[in-house]
Amino acid sequence: MTADADLTAAFEVLGQKWTGIILHTLATRPARYGELSTAIARISTKMLADRLRELVGAGLVTRTQLPPGPAAYTLTADGRALLPALEQIRSWSRQRTHTPCYTATKATPMSARPLPEATFARTVVGSGPGLALAHGAGSSIAGTYGPILDGLAARHTVVGVDYPGSGGTPRSATPLSLDDLADQLVTAAVAEGLETFAVSGYSLGGPVAIRAAARHPERVIALVLTATFPHRDNRLVLALPIWRKLAESGDRELLAEYLTMMALGADALEAMPDEQLQQAIACTAAGVAEGTPEHAELTPRTDVRDDLPGIQAPTLVISTTQDWFTSTRLHRQLADTIPHAQLAEIATGHLPMVERPEEWRQLITDFLKRQSA
């Protein structure tokens, strides 16, 4: 007996888990990554990204990038030639007398994920292409983006939501969910008439923006990620519990001293005379969000590494090179893992809106302008 060479060659591709399902799902029409992820409910984001790369390499699927939207995947002639065989396998599966040892999850249609009712307070300014804003933990839209908001609104319809316990949104009695924050941001943008939009995420807002792009890829057409992280590293493991305990203590001045020390870059911190330093601490204390303990509790639970390979929206990662909260190592990890992401640097600590607001705004608006050109 000799194994058939042609079948061997075919099953080197088709024998991989999920390969046949992806091909059969694409039989209906071309689809974006997020649509496939929704349609094939049980596949992980990393597995889907790996299988799509393999199918493109095997010449069974093509990937077409049509800026500024996500890429679309389409069956090639060779891919379509497999459909009759897949239908035969499907028919065989239906007629089997042996019951499978698992219960298959019914695939959901390739359609937009349902959106929740809008419950977060939101800021809406400007006109033009859509730009949704995700702010940092312990802050608000005004606290994070206030110094550059007018500049962003000069070219964009800007929509931002305040997380529970910040801005005009009441505190939450239950732990926060990254999915909920992402969905509320998308809901707010859609409620303001934006069918598609870019998302800018700062610090904790970075994972919120990434999750929004992963859950709603048909809407998010570009990402800007500043001073942020895909998961907690050892520095965050050490810094976040201190921040949370100080927030829960109610001692705003002590919390503000800690945040001022950690958040400002070395150049900005050392350039401050004593009087200005005390003013900065007082300003920080006054701006601490009531929901900071809940924000601080969510941050170490946040991990979006599985989302990164499947992000199809053009992405700019802005690395704050003097950052003592989120390290440049984490910034580079984002840029290296998100497909085709660009990396830019700004010589600030964790607060570019304080240290170099105009330079930060320029990086954001220039990137978004290139995406719409």
Side-chain angles (χ1 to χ4, degrees):
M1 290 188 297
T2 304
D4 186 89
D6 291 333
L7 278 176
T8 300
F11 275 95
E12 283 180 356
V13 177
L14 298 179
Q16 297 291 333
K17 187 176 181 180
W18 299 112
T19 294
I21 303 301
I22 294 170
L23 292 171
H24 191 269
T25 305
L26 285 172
T28 308
R29 61 172 174 84
R32 296 172 177 144
Y33 174 92
E35 293 176 308
L36 287 168
S37 180
T38 299
I40 309 171
R42 295 171 58 221
I43 193 170
S44 72
T45 55
K46 183 178 186 303
M47 179 70 75
L48 178 56
D50 289 346
R51 291 295 172 264
L52 286 170
R53 277 195 294 269
E54 291 166 4
L55 289 170
V56 170
L60 302 180
V61 171
T62 59
R63 180 182 184 274
T64 305
Q65 182 73 49
L66 299 173
Y73 293 91
T74 308
L75 291 180
T76 64
D78 283 347
R80 298 201 72 84
L82 284 166
L83 295 179
L86 293 175
E87 282 297 331
Q88 288 291 325
I89 294 172
R90 184 166 172 263
S91 177
W92 166 81
S93 179
R94 283 181 170 180
Q95 296 170 15
R96 290 177 69 191
T97 57
H98 175 69
T99 303
C101 60
Y102 65 91
T103 300
T105 301
K106 185 178 180 180
T108 54
M110 290 194 296
S111 60
R113 187 184 294 271
L115 293 173
E117 178 186 357
T119 58
F120 290 6
R122 62 181 180 257
T123 298
V124 184
V125 291
S127 61
L131 173 60
L133 304 180
H135 66 75
S139 186
S140 62
I141 289 297
T144 294
Y145 288 98
I148 67 170
L149 200 56
D150 288 345
L152 296 176
R155 292 179 176 269
H156 299 273
T157 299
V158 178
V159 179
V161 296
D162 292 318
Y163 308 151
S166 66
T169 305
R171 288 183 74 170
S172 174
T174 58
L176 301 182
S177 158
L178 191 69
D179 287 355
D180 290 345
L181 300 188
D183 286 354
Q184 283 290 330
L185 179 62
V186 173
T187 295
V190 172
E192 294 299 328
L194 302 176
E195 289 298 317
T196 60
F197 42 85
V199 181
S200 172
Y202 162 81
S203 193
L204 177 61
V208 173
I210 291 166
R211 185 57 53 83
R215 288 171 66 82
H216 306 277
E218 74 286 348
R219 298 194 183 278
V220 177
I221 60 174
L223 281 177
V224 180
L225 308 171
T226 303
T228 189
F229 58 97
H231 65 102
R232 63 177 188 172
D233 61 0
N234 283 341
R235 179 179 296 181
L236 285 173
V237 166
L238 295 171
L240 293 175
I242 299 172
W243 175 40
R244 182 181 177 184
K245 289 174 184 176
L246 290 173
E248 292 173 338
S249 75
D251 190 337
R252 287 193 168 215
E253 184 175 356
L254 185 59
L255 173 60
E257 290 174 350
Y258 172 73
L259 292 176
T260 301
M261 175 189 69
M262 290 292 294
L264 284 174
D267 292 344
L269 187 61
E270 295 306 318
M272 286 184 174
D274 289 346
E275 182 178 354
Q276 187 179 1
L277 180 60
Q278 294 307 312
Q279 289 175 349
I281 292 171
C283 183
T284 300
V288 172
E290 292 295 330
T292 296
E294 292 85 67
H295 302 179
E297 189 278 332
L298 171 62
T299 303
R301 290 192 285 112
T302 297
D303 190 335
V304 294
R305 282 175 288 185
D306 286 346
D307 293 333
L308 303 182
I311 297 298
Q312 297 299 316
T315 300
L316 173 66
V317 178
I318 300 177
S319 175
T320 40
T321 59
Q322 297 181 17
D323 202 325
W324 293 341
F325 262 124
T326 62
S327 70
T328 55
R329 178 178 171 274
L330 292 176
H331 308 159
R332 288 193 297 271
Q333 183 179 353
L334 287 167
D336 290 343
T337 311
I338 297 174
H340 313 298
Q342 301 176 33
L343 179 67
E345 294 183 342
I346 184 170
T348 72
H350 198 62
L351 302 175
M353 74 292 293
V354 172
E355 299 179 44
R356 297 193 176 189
E358 181 56 25
E359 184 178 341
W360 184 36
R361 181 202 63 78
Q362 194 76 46
L363 286 171
I364 296 172
T365 54
D366 284 355
F367 174 75
L368 296 179
K369 185 178 180 180
R370 291 195 298 272
Q371 303 316 306
S372 60

